[in-house]
Amino acid sequence: MPDLQNGLRIDGTGGVYLWSSGDLKNWYSEGLILDQSNMETDAWYHERFWAPELRKIDGKFYLTVNCRNLSYGGKHSVCIAAADQITGPYEVLTKEEPAIREKDLPPHKEDPVFICNDASLYSEDGRSYHLFCIPEGIFSYEIEFPSCRLIGDVINVVRPSTDGWDTKIEGAYVMKYQDYYYCFYSSFTRSYEVGVSWSKAMEGPWEKKYDRPIMTPKDGITGCGHNSVFEGPVGKYWIAYHVETKEDPTEDLAIDPLLFTKDGEVSILGPTTDRRKAEW
């Protein structure tokens, strides 16, 4: 699997790289899908590309990525780009201003260089939602494409605890299973761990499903999180996330089974760094 140090450029320079695989074992670089060299140097989104995500919505591919341009007053926020093919070419939809602006945030402590972080999209039945993270928690808006216009009021998805394992949270990812929406999130309070919030509607109310993480470091692993979820060829769910170990602090890609019970309980057979056998 690709090393994120070389694949997604963990230093945040150059742009956003895409990798592909036909078997989850052999990976190939598709090159840059968002290329810094093609951007105007004063574009607010010109620097520090971080935590990219791809979602297919109504036949188009939407890329969200954190970025900024402090030299020209561009605070750290969310850029959205779209393409007809997953490999591009991608057109930036938020050229004039970020998808999330300072005025869009719920009550918060203003930061001189930071607006929000770790964008993620979710779409169902013609409606799309834009999740984002600030120190005060994880929030969401309904969003219209391709205008990127935010609709309605901000939705509270996950609040950090005041004294628990998740006082600092980020990395939202939403999926639906049966009658519930699940928002996975990561905490960097103690190390790096994964928790989950759930709701019967994207508009909420949301609540934490457990008062504990559902994945925490073990067996030499020092951090695991900022996940996404995909469905395998035989209908089983897998969770993809980055992992660090004592021997190798580089953030590498890991993939493990994600399990649901009939009652909606959720668990992860991880974290791991060894090979997994999958049914195809």
Side-chain angles (χ1 to χ4, degrees):
M1 295 181 184
D3 178 324
L4 297 192
Q5 184 75 36
N6 298 320
L8 294 182
R9 292 297 291 276
I10 200 154
D11 58 2
T13 63
V16 178
Y17 292 76
L18 179 68
W19 290 74
S20 64
S21 174
D23 56 12
L24 300 182
K25 295 187 296 182
N26 301 291
W27 292 83
Y28 306 94
S29 173
E30 301 288 349
L32 283 162
I33 57 173
L34 195 64
D35 190 342
Q36 185 184 42
S37 67
N38 294 331
M39 301 175 186
E40 298 293 333
T41 56
D42 61 351
W44 75 263
Y45 50 88
H46 186 260
E47 301 171 354
R48 200 181 187 275
F49 308 94
W50 203 262
E53 179 189 280
L54 283 170
R55 290 271 193 163
K56 189 176 184 180
I57 299 174
D58 296 332
K60 293 184 74 72
F61 293 91
Y62 288 87
L63 168 70
T64 56
V65 61
N66 306 321
C67 43
R68 67 189 186 195
N69 192 347
L70 298 183
S71 299
Y72 290 88
K75 287 187 175 184
H76 186 95
S77 191
V78 180
C79 174
I80 300 179
D84 292 326
Q85 304 293 328
I86 194 170
T87 52
Y90 281 82
E91 177 187 3
V92 175
L93 304 179
T94 53
K95 289 182 178 180
E96 300 302 319
E97 58 185 0
I100 299 294
R101 304 156 297 179
E102 196 83 46
K103 66 181 182 180
D104 301 317
L105 301 181
H108 66 288
K109 182 179 179 180
E110 188 169 345
D111 187 279
V113 299
F114 177 91
I115 297 177
C116 70
N117 203 35
D118 293 354
S120 183
L121 301 177
Y122 178 80
S123 184
E124 180 183 44
D125 297 331
R127 300 178 69 182
S128 299
Y129 297 84
H130 182 312
L131 292 98
F132 60 94
C133 310
I134 59 176
E136 289 76 11
I138 295 171
F139 299 88
S140 177
Y141 274 103
E142 187 173 353
I143 187 171
E144 176 187 81
F145 290 122
S147 69
C148 297
R149 181 176 68 91
L150 303 179
I151 301 171
D153 297 325
V154 68
I155 302 164
N156 177 16
V157 180
V158 189
R159 288 279 191 178
S161 62
T162 56
D163 59 0
W165 71 274
D166 56 352
T167 62
K168 302 174 183 178
I169 59 176
E170 62 180 15
Y173 185 90
V174 168
M175 66 170 289
K176 188 176 184 181
Y177 181 77
Q178 295 181 346
D179 296 328
Y180 281 90
Y181 299 88
Y182 292 78
C183 178
F184 297 88
Y185 65 96
S186 296
S187 169
F188 53 101
T189 306
R190 304 183 302 190
S191 56
Y192 209 46
E193 305 169 278
V194 176
V196 65
S197 178
W198 70 338
S199 173
K200 284 194 172 182
M202 281 297 296
E203 294 78 10
W206 290 83
E207 64 178 350
K208 293 179 183 177
K209 185 155 179 55
Y210 309 107
D211 60 1
R212 57 172 175 79
I214 60 170
M215 184 166 65
T216 192
K218 63 179 182 178
D219 300 332
I221 293 173
T222 56
C224 51
H226 203 148
N227 71 279
S228 60
V229 176
F230 65 94
E231 187 175 340
V234 294
K236 294 183 178 180
Y237 289 105
W238 293 81
I239 186 168
Y241 58 96
H242 68 70
V243 62
E244 304 171 33
T245 65
K246 292 179 180 179
E247 292 75 20
D248 182 5
T250 301
E251 295 177 342
D252 292 324
L253 174 64
I255 299 175
D256 284 309
L258 176 68
L259 306 179
F260 289 93
T261 68
K262 294 179 181 179
D263 299 325
E265 300 300 312
V266 58
S267 60
I268 300 168
L269 298 183
T272 64
T273 56
D274 56 354
R275 293 185 177 274
R276 286 290 192 176
K277 183 178 180 180
E279 295 179 7
W280 299 91

PDB file of all heavy atoms in Angstrom, residues 176-196:
ATOM      1  N   LYS A 176     -24.032   5.799   6.326  1.00  0.00           N
ATOM      2  CA  LYS A 176     -25.321   5.334   6.831  1.00  0.00           C
ATOM      3  C   LYS A 176     -25.333   3.817   6.864  1.00  0.00           C
ATOM      4  O   LYS A 176     -24.905   3.159   5.912  1.00  0.00           O
ATOM      5  CB  LYS A 176     -26.472   5.845   5.962  1.00  0.00           C
ATOM      6  CG  LYS A 176     -27.851   5.540   6.568  1.00  0.00           C
ATOM      7  CD  LYS A 176     -28.972   6.140   5.722  1.00  0.00           C
ATOM      8  CE  LYS A 176     -30.326   5.914   6.394  1.00  0.00           C
ATOM      9  NZ  LYS A 176     -31.437   6.465   5.563  1.00  0.00           N
ATOM     10  N   TYR A 177     -25.830   3.267   7.960  1.00  0.00           N
ATOM     11  CA  TYR A 177     -26.020   1.825   8.075  1.00  0.00           C
ATOM     12  C   TYR A 177     -27.409   1.590   8.656  1.00  0.00           C
ATOM     13  O   TYR A 177     -27.732   2.078   9.741  1.00  0.00           O
ATOM     14  CB  TYR A 177     -24.959   1.188   8.968  1.00  0.00           C
ATOM     15  CG  TYR A 177     -25.105  -0.315   9.085  1.00  0.00           C
ATOM     16  CD1 TYR A 177     -24.692  -1.159   8.057  1.00  0.00           C
ATOM     17  CD2 TYR A 177     -25.695  -0.883  10.217  1.00  0.00           C
ATOM     18  CE1 TYR A 177     -24.850  -2.525   8.151  1.00  0.00           C
ATOM     19  CE2 TYR A 177     -25.847  -2.253  10.314  1.00  0.00           C
ATOM     20  CZ  TYR A 177     -25.426  -3.076   9.279  1.00  0.00           C
ATOM     21  OH  TYR A 177     -25.588  -4.438   9.374  1.00  0.00           O
ATOM     22  N   GLN A 178     -28.240   0.845   7.913  1.00  0.00           N
ATOM     23  CA  GLN A 178     -29.628   0.620   8.288  1.00  0.00           C
ATOM     24  C   GLN A 178     -30.322   1.965   8.520  1.00  0.00           C
ATOM     25  O   GLN A 178     -30.389   2.780   7.626  1.00  0.00           O
ATOM     26  CB  GLN A 178     -29.705  -0.326   9.479  1.00  0.00           C
ATOM     27  CG  GLN A 178     -29.200  -1.731   9.166  1.00  0.00           C
ATOM     28  CD  GLN A 178     -29.280  -2.692  10.337  1.00  0.00           C
ATOM     29  OE1 GLN A 178     -29.469  -2.297  11.503  1.00  0.00           O
ATOM     30  NE2 GLN A 178     -29.133  -3.971  10.066  1.00  0.00           N
ATOM     31  N   ASP A 179     -30.826   2.219   9.724  1.00  0.00           N
ATOM     32  CA  ASP A 179     -31.606   3.432   9.962  1.00  0.00           C
ATOM     33  C   ASP A 179     -30.808   4.560  10.594  1.00  0.00           C
ATOM     34  O   ASP A 179     -31.382   5.602  10.939  1.00  0.00           O
ATOM     35  CB  ASP A 179     -32.805   3.112  10.864  1.00  0.00           C
ATOM     36  CG  ASP A 179     -33.782   2.149  10.216  1.00  0.00           C
ATOM     37  OD1 ASP A 179     -33.907   2.197   8.976  1.00  0.00           O
ATOM     38  OD2 ASP A 179     -34.412   1.361  10.940  1.00  0.00           O
ATOM     39  N   TYR A 180     -29.495   4.377  10.749  1.00  0.00           N
ATOM     40  CA  TYR A 180     -28.706   5.380  11.467  1.00  0.00           C
ATOM     41  C   TYR A 180     -27.570   5.925  10.611  1.00  0.00           C
ATOM     42  O   TYR A 180     -27.004   5.221   9.775  1.00  0.00           O
ATOM     43  CB  TYR A 180     -28.120   4.780  12.754  1.00  0.00           C
ATOM     44  CG  TYR A 180     -29.115   4.686  13.885  1.00  0.00           C
ATOM     45  CD1 TYR A 180     -29.898   3.547  14.050  1.00  0.00           C
ATOM     46  CD2 TYR A 180     -29.268   5.736  14.790  1.00  0.00           C
ATOM     47  CE1 TYR A 180     -30.810   3.461  15.084  1.00  0.00           C
ATOM     48  CE2 TYR A 180     -30.177   5.652  15.829  1.00  0.00           C
ATOM     49  CZ  TYR A 180     -30.946   4.515  15.976  1.00  0.00           C
ATOM     50  OH  TYR A 180     -31.856   4.429  16.995  1.00  0.00           O
ATOM     51  N   TYR A 181     -27.247   7.171  10.862  1.00  0.00           N
ATOM     52  CA  TYR A 181     -26.057   7.808  10.313  1.00  0.00           C
ATOM     53  C   TYR A 181     -24.959   7.738  11.371  1.00  0.00           C
ATOM     54  O   TYR A 181     -25.201   8.043  12.550  1.00  0.00           O
ATOM     55  CB  TYR A 181     -26.339   9.266   9.950  1.00  0.00           C
ATOM     56  CG  TYR A 181     -27.405   9.413   8.901  1.00  0.00           C
ATOM     57  CD1 TYR A 181     -28.752   9.490   9.257  1.00  0.00           C
ATOM     58  CD2 TYR A 181     -27.082   9.465   7.546  1.00  0.00           C
ATOM     59  CE1 TYR A 181     -29.748   9.618   8.289  1.00  0.00           C
ATOM     60  CE2 TYR A 181     -28.066   9.590   6.574  1.00  0.00           C
ATOM     61  CZ  TYR A 181     -29.395   9.659   6.958  1.00  0.00           C
ATOM     62  OH  TYR A 181     -30.373   9.775   5.997  1.00  0.00           O
ATOM     63  N   TYR A 182     -23.785   7.349  10.939  1.00  0.00           N
ATOM     64  CA  TYR A 182     -22.646   7.226  11.844  1.00  0.00           C
ATOM     65  C   TYR A 182     -21.591   8.250  11.436  1.00  0.00           C
ATOM     66  O   TYR A 182     -21.181   8.295  10.273  1.00  0.00           O
ATOM     67  CB  TYR A 182     -22.040   5.825  11.772  1.00  0.00           C
ATOM     68  CG  TYR A 182     -22.924   4.740  12.322  1.00  0.00           C
ATOM     69  CD1 TYR A 182     -23.992   4.240  11.576  1.00  0.00           C
ATOM     70  CD2 TYR A 182     -22.702   4.199  13.585  1.00  0.00           C
ATOM     71  CE1 TYR A 182     -24.810   3.236  12.077  1.00  0.00           C
ATOM     72  CE2 TYR A 182     -23.504   3.186  14.100  1.00  0.00           C
ATOM     73  CZ  TYR A 182     -24.557   2.716  13.340  1.00  0.00           C
ATOM     74  OH  TYR A 182     -25.367   1.718  13.841  1.00  0.00           O
ATOM     75  N   CYS A 183     -21.156   9.069  12.382  1.00  0.00           N
ATOM     76  CA  CYS A 183     -20.068   9.996  12.132  1.00  0.00           C
ATOM     77  C   CYS A 183     -18.841   9.522  12.904  1.00  0.00           C
ATOM     78  O   CYS A 183     -18.801   9.609  14.139  1.00  0.00           O
ATOM     79  CB  CYS A 183     -20.429  11.418  12.552  1.00  0.00           C
ATOM     80  SG  CYS A 183     -19.062  12.578  12.306  1.00  0.00           S
ATOM     81  N   PHE A 184     -17.879   8.999  12.181  1.00  0.00           N
ATOM     82  CA  PHE A 184     -16.606   8.621  12.795  1.00  0.00           C
ATOM     83  C   PHE A 184     -15.767   9.888  12.966  1.00  0.00           C
ATOM     84  O   PHE A 184     -15.784  10.784  12.120  1.00  0.00           O
ATOM     85  CB  PHE A 184     -15.869   7.614  11.912  1.00  0.00           C
ATOM     86  CG  PHE A 184     -16.610   6.324  11.732  1.00  0.00           C
ATOM     87  CD1 PHE A 184     -17.528   6.170  10.700  1.00  0.00           C
ATOM     88  CD2 PHE A 184     -16.401   5.266  12.603  1.00  0.00           C
ATOM     89  CE1 PHE A 184     -18.231   4.985  10.534  1.00  0.00           C
ATOM     90  CE2 PHE A 184     -17.092   4.065  12.443  1.00  0.00           C
ATOM     91  CZ  PHE A 184     -18.009   3.932  11.414  1.00  0.00           C
ATOM     92  N   TYR A 185     -15.047   9.956  14.050  1.00  0.00           N
ATOM     93  CA  TYR A 185     -14.163  11.097  14.287  1.00  0.00           C
ATOM     94  C   TYR A 185     -12.934  10.621  15.038  1.00  0.00           C
ATOM     95  O   TYR A 185     -12.915   9.525  15.603  1.00  0.00           O
ATOM     96  CB  TYR A 185     -14.884  12.193  15.074  1.00  0.00           C
ATOM     97  CG  TYR A 185     -15.278  11.812  16.486  1.00  0.00           C
ATOM     98  CD1 TYR A 185     -14.467  12.135  17.576  1.00  0.00           C
ATOM     99  CD2 TYR A 185     -16.478  11.147  16.738  1.00  0.00           C
ATOM    100  CE1 TYR A 185     -14.834  11.795  18.865  1.00  0.00           C
ATOM    101  CE2 TYR A 185     -16.846  10.800  18.021  1.00  0.00           C
ATOM    102  CZ  TYR A 185     -16.024  11.129  19.090  1.00  0.00           C
ATOM    103  OH  TYR A 185     -16.385  10.787  20.363  1.00  0.00           O
ATOM    104  N   SER A 186     -11.887  11.443  15.019  1.00  0.00           N
ATOM    105  CA  SER A 186     -10.629  11.084  15.673  1.00  0.00           C
ATOM    106  C   SER A 186     -10.309  12.080  16.772  1.00  0.00           C
ATOM    107  O   SER A 186     -10.631  13.267  16.671  1.00  0.00           O
ATOM    108  CB  SER A 186      -9.487  11.031  14.664  1.00  0.00           C
ATOM    109  OG  SER A 186      -9.711  10.005  13.720  1.00  0.00           O
ATOM    110  N   SER A 187      -9.644  11.576  17.807  1.00  0.00           N
ATOM    111  CA  SER A 187      -9.207  12.424  18.911  1.00  0.00           C
ATOM    112  C   SER A 187      -7.692  12.348  19.033  1.00  0.00           C
ATOM    113  O   SER A 187      -7.109  11.271  18.960  1.00  0.00           O
ATOM    114  CB  SER A 187      -9.847  11.983  20.222  1.00  0.00           C
ATOM    115  OG  SER A 187      -9.227  12.638  21.319  1.00  0.00           O
ATOM    116  N   PHE A 188      -7.065  13.521  19.236  1.00  0.00           N
ATOM    117  CA  PHE A 188      -5.627  13.569  19.485  1.00  0.00           C
ATOM    118  C   PHE A 188      -5.359  14.030  20.921  1.00  0.00           C
ATOM    119  O   PHE A 188      -4.364  14.667  21.218  1.00  0.00           O
ATOM    120  CB  PHE A 188      -4.913  14.461  18.468  1.00  0.00           C
ATOM    121  CG  PHE A 188      -5.466  15.858  18.331  1.00  0.00           C
ATOM    122  CD1 PHE A 188      -4.838  16.927  18.950  1.00  0.00           C
ATOM    123  CD2 PHE A 188      -6.595  16.101  17.557  1.00  0.00           C
ATOM    124  CE1 PHE A 188      -5.335  18.208  18.810  1.00  0.00           C
ATOM    125  CE2 PHE A 188      -7.094  17.389  17.415  1.00  0.00           C
ATOM    126  CZ  PHE A 188      -6.464  18.441  18.042  1.00  0.00           C
ATOM    127  N   THR A 189      -6.267  13.681  21.834  1.00  0.00           N
ATOM    128  CA  THR A 189      -6.127  14.066  23.238  1.00  0.00           C
ATOM    129  C   THR A 189      -5.023  13.270  23.923  1.00  0.00           C
ATOM    130  O   THR A 189      -4.123  13.842  24.549  1.00  0.00           O
ATOM    131  CB  THR A 189      -7.455  13.845  23.981  1.00  0.00           C
ATOM    132  OG1 THR A 189      -8.502  14.539  23.300  1.00  0.00           O
ATOM    133  CG2 THR A 189      -7.360  14.342  25.425  1.00  0.00           C
ATOM    134  N   ARG A 190      -5.078  11.943  23.789  1.00  0.00           N
ATOM    135  CA  ARG A 190      -4.102  11.066  24.452  1.00  0.00           C
ATOM    136  C   ARG A 190      -3.047  10.569  23.477  1.00  0.00           C
ATOM    137  O   ARG A 190      -1.873  10.516  23.792  1.00  0.00           O
ATOM    138  CB  ARG A 190      -4.822   9.875  25.087  1.00  0.00           C
ATOM    139  CG  ARG A 190      -5.908  10.267  26.066  1.00  0.00           C
ATOM    140  CD  ARG A 190      -6.544   9.071  26.738  1.00  0.00           C
ATOM    141  NE  ARG A 190      -7.144   8.110  25.825  1.00  0.00           N
ATOM    142  CZ  ARG A 190      -7.915   7.098  26.210  1.00  0.00           C
ATOM    143  NH1 ARG A 190      -8.171   6.929  27.513  1.00  0.00           N
ATOM    144  NH2 ARG A 190      -8.422   6.272  25.322  1.00  0.00           N
ATOM    145  N   SER A 191      -3.484  10.157  22.325  1.00  0.00           N
ATOM    146  CA  SER A 191      -2.589   9.763  21.229  1.00  0.00           C
ATOM    147  C   SER A 191      -3.364  10.077  19.957  1.00  0.00           C
ATOM    148  O   SER A 191      -3.561  11.226  19.643  1.00  0.00           O
ATOM    149  CB  SER A 191      -2.181   8.292  21.342  1.00  0.00           C
ATOM    150  OG  SER A 191      -3.337   7.470  21.385  1.00  0.00           O
ATOM    151  N   TYR A 192      -3.832   9.070  19.252  1.00  0.00           N
ATOM    152  CA  TYR A 192      -4.738   9.262  18.127  1.00  0.00           C
ATOM    153  C   TYR A 192      -5.673   8.067  18.112  1.00  0.00           C
ATOM    154  O   TYR A 192      -5.221   6.914  17.975  1.00  0.00           O
ATOM    155  CB  TYR A 192      -3.967   9.396  16.819  1.00  0.00           C
ATOM    156  CG  TYR A 192      -4.683  10.246  15.788  1.00  0.00           C
ATOM    157  CD1 TYR A 192      -5.256  11.466  16.136  1.00  0.00           C
ATOM    158  CD2 TYR A 192      -4.788   9.832  14.468  1.00  0.00           C
ATOM    159  CE1 TYR A 192      -5.915  12.256  15.202  1.00  0.00           C
ATOM    160  CE2 TYR A 192      -5.427  10.615  13.516  1.00  0.00           C
ATOM    161  CZ  TYR A 192      -5.991  11.823  13.894  1.00  0.00           C
ATOM    162  OH  TYR A 192      -6.636  12.604  12.971  1.00  0.00           O
ATOM    163  N   GLU A 193      -6.985   8.320  18.258  1.00  0.00           N
ATOM    164  CA  GLU A 193      -7.981   7.267  18.441  1.00  0.00           C
ATOM    165  C   GLU A 193      -9.246   7.624  17.673  1.00  0.00           C
ATOM    166  O   GLU A 193      -9.446   8.773  17.286  1.00  0.00           O
ATOM    167  CB  GLU A 193      -8.304   7.114  19.929  1.00  0.00           C
ATOM    168  CG  GLU A 193      -7.083   6.869  20.806  1.00  0.00           C
ATOM    169  CD  GLU A 193      -7.397   6.993  22.293  1.00  0.00           C
ATOM    170  OE1 GLU A 193      -7.419   8.131  22.802  1.00  0.00           O
ATOM    171  OE2 GLU A 193      -7.629   5.958  22.933  1.00  0.00           O
ATOM    172  N   VAL A 194     -10.115   6.636  17.488  1.00  0.00           N
ATOM    173  CA  VAL A 194     -11.343   6.830  16.715  1.00  0.00           C
ATOM    174  C   VAL A 194     -12.564   6.620  17.596  1.00  0.00           C
ATOM    175  O   VAL A 194     -12.653   5.637  18.341  1.00  0.00           O
ATOM    176  CB  VAL A 194     -11.398   5.858  15.516  1.00  0.00           C
ATOM    177  CG1 VAL A 194     -12.731   5.989  14.776  1.00  0.00           C
ATOM    178  CG2 VAL A 194     -10.241   6.118  14.567  1.00  0.00           C
ATOM    179  N   GLY A 195     -13.510   7.545  17.497  1.00  0.00           N
ATOM    180  CA  GLY A 195     -14.797   7.423  18.168  1.00  0.00           C
ATOM    181  C   GLY A 195     -15.919   7.533  17.155  1.00  0.00           C
ATOM    182  O   GLY A 195     -15.678   7.708  15.946  1.00  0.00           O
ATOM    183  N   VAL A 196     -17.166   7.454  17.629  1.00  0.00           N
ATOM    184  CA  VAL A 196     -18.298   7.519  16.705  1.00  0.00           C
ATOM    185  C   VAL A 196     -19.496   8.183  17.376  1.00  0.00           C
ATOM    186  O   VAL A 196     -19.770   7.980  18.552  1.00  0.00           O
ATOM    187  CB  VAL A 196     -18.669   6.097  16.181  1.00  0.00           C
ATOM    188  CG1 VAL A 196     -19.160   5.202  17.301  1.00  0.00           C
ATOM    189  CG2 VAL A 196     -19.695   6.182  15.060  1.00  0.00           C
TER     190      VAL A 196
END
